[in-house]
């Protein structure tokens, strides 16, 4: 992580980052994504059944009302199919850092969680100052300055002054959307290619 003094200038994005990682898809695990896809497919099937039912009842319904209802059902089916296609495309592409909506991909999120765990030596779910410095040394060859530590604590989720994994994800969301080359450099230093594959 380089040029960390830019973080202070972006502090107003803190609330947006909270929402991005509390509510957005970046934190979804593969099984959750699979469940969402299954649910979307179920919506498709259910609405197709409803559409078929409408067609068989046309003789008893007002023609215009039936046509409007059928059109609405078709629109729901189309939207559900598109959502399924988008989710499956995201899952199929495990080499990107960001999704089309600029949130972290599940694959990148998974790698970042692995990195966080690697440096969480005492397995308490947070990085102490020593653990943060160990991470920084691997990435940039030096420890964090006091000012950089303050900026991290001010801008990203911490507990008792220690960076937690959600804060780490926030940090890399911000860096990757603003300075992707720095993220790729960090990944290489940490043993990953820009395609999120382990370096040999």
């Amino acid at each position: 992580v380089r040029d960390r003094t830019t973080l202070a200038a972006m502090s107003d994005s803190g609330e947006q980052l909270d929402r991005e990682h509390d509510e957005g898809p970046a934190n979804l695990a593969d099984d959750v994504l699979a469940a969402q896809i299954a649910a979307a497919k179920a919506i498709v099937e259910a609405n197709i059944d409803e559409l078929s039912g409408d067609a068989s009842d046309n003789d008893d319904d007002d023609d215009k009302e039936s046509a409007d209802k059928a059109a609405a059902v078709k629109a729901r089916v189309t939207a559900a199919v598109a959502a399924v296609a988008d989710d499956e495309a995201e899952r199929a592409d495990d080499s990107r850092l960001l999704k089309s909506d600029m949130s972290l991909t599940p694959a990148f999120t998974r790698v970042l969680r692995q990195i966080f765990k690697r440096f969480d030596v005492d397995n308490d779910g947070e990085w102490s100052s020593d653990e943060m410095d160990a991470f920084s040394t691997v990435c940039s060859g030096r420890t964090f300055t006091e000012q950089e530590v303050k900026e991290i604590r001010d801008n990203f989720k911490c507990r008792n002054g220690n960076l937690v994994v959600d804060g780490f994800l926030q940090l890399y969301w911000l860096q990757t959307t603003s300075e992707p080359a720095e993220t790729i450099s960090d990944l290489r230093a940490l043993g990953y290619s820009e395609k999120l594959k382990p370096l040999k």
Side-chain angles (χ1 to χ4, degrees):
V1 180
R2 300 183 183 86
D3 299 327
R4 296 180 183 82
T5 55
T6 61
L7 300 178
M10 302 180 186
S11 60
D12 290 342
S13 65
E15 291 184 2
Q16 176 185 348
L17 290 173
D18 288 343
R19 292 193 298 271
E20 181 72 26
H21 292 282
D22 286 339
E23 301 173 6
N27 283 332
L28 291 178
D30 283 347
D31 56 343
V32 178
L33 282 172
Q36 288 185 325
I37 291 173
K41 288 181 176 178
I43 291 172
V44 172
E45 294 172 358
N47 283 291
I48 287 175
D49 289 340
E50 182 180 344
L51 183 57
S52 299
D54 288 340
S56 64
D57 293 337
N58 276 349
D59 291 338
D60 301 325
D61 296 334
D62 176 80
D63 288 343
K64 185 177 184 307
E65 182 180 351
S66 296
D68 290 344
K69 187 175 182 182
V73 172
K74 286 181 180 179
R76 293 202 301 271
V77 171
T78 300
V81 169
V84 170
D86 288 345
D87 277 344
E88 289 183 333
E90 297 289 359
R91 286 168 58 80
D93 187 351
D94 63 353
S95 65
R96 295 184 300 157
L97 305 183
L98 297 173
K99 299 175 70 174
S100 57
D101 64 359
M102 300 304 287
S103 62
L104 301 179
T105 62
F108 189 28
T109 299
R110 186 164 53 248
V111 166
L112 290 175
R113 289 181 180 277
Q114 291 170 352
I115 292 169
F116 187 90
K117 186 175 181 179
R118 184 196 310 175
F119 289 91
D120 184 16
V121 178
D122 55 8
N123 293 313
D124 64 352
E126 54 191 57
W127 278 0
S128 65
S129 295
D130 288 342
E131 290 166 337
M132 288 176 63
D133 282 342
F135 166 77
S136 179
T137 299
V138 170
C139 287
S140 60
R142 64 175 180 82
T143 60
F144 287 110
T145 66
E146 290 184 4
Q147 180 62 30
E148 288 167 346
V149 171
K150 182 180 184 301
E151 290 169 355
I152 289 173
R153 288 171 174 167
D154 288 347
N155 289 281
F156 306 110
K157 285 186 178 180
C158 293
R159 182 168 61 236
N160 301 321
N162 295 331
L163 187 68
V164 297
V165 66
D166 283 349
F168 185 64
L169 295 176
Q170 290 176 337
L171 188 157
Y172 267 95
W173 176 84
L174 180 59
Q175 178 172 281
T176 305
T177 55
S178 59
E179 299 177 281
E182 295 299 331
T183 293
I184 292 173
S185 176
D186 289 347
L187 285 171
R188 288 190 170 277
L190 292 160
Y192 294 90
S193 72
E194 64 271 22
K195 299 295 186 180
L196 301 174
K197 305 299 183 184
L199 293 174
K200 297 181 179 179

